Amino acid sequence: MKIPKKVKIGANTFTIKRGSFRTESDMDGGFLEYETNILFLANDLPETREATIFLHEVLHGLNIYLTEEQATYLSEGLMQIIRDNNLDFRK
């Protein structure tokens, strides 16, 4: 999945920033910062993991009340469906 430089989620546009960061609560390699509209992704992730984490953070952007567990289940399920069925939404 090609990760864009910016993504619009609802009324907000988030800038994608990559870097080396890891915190105890950031075990998946990404987080969304609502105050600055930045979606952070670790720069050392395998492609499949990066796409799953991107979807995870987008889901948080859509619904700030999703728990980490809910966002993880949804993002991993969506990624599996997209990959297993070779879905390309650009067509």
Side-chain angles (χ1 to χ4, degrees):
M1 172 186 281
K2 183 178 178 187
I3 306 294
K5 293 181 181 190
K6 293 186 178 213
V7 63
K8 189 167 190 261
I9 305 171
N12 299 303
T13 301
F14 288 85
T15 301
I16 312 302
K17 291 215 174 180
R18 298 170 189 273
S20 17
F21 57 85
R22 294 289 172 135
T23 65
E24 285 183 35
S25 63
D26 168 42
M27 58 188 177
D28 280 335
F31 63 94
L32 203 60
E33 195 171 83
Y34 296 100
E35 300 80 18
T36 60
N37 285 4
I38 297 174
L39 190 159
F40 290 92
L41 289 174
N43 58 7
D44 59 349
L45 299 168
E47 181 184 348
T48 303
R49 195 75 197 122
E50 179 184 70
T52 303
I53 292 167
F54 174 74
L55 286 176
H56 176 104
E57 299 309 331
V58 166
L59 288 167
H60 278 305
L62 286 170
N63 184 341
I64 62 171
Y65 301 107
L66 282 178
T67 66
E68 285 299 310
E69 187 175 82
Q70 291 168 328
T72 298
Y73 287 145
L74 288 168
S75 62
E76 289 179 358
L78 284 170
M79 186 51 60
Q80 179 182 0
I81 292 165
I82 291 166
R83 296 238 184 231
D84 288 354
N85 294 285
N86 295 318
L87 298 178
D88 184 351
F89 300 102
R90 297 172 291 173
K91 294 179 182 177

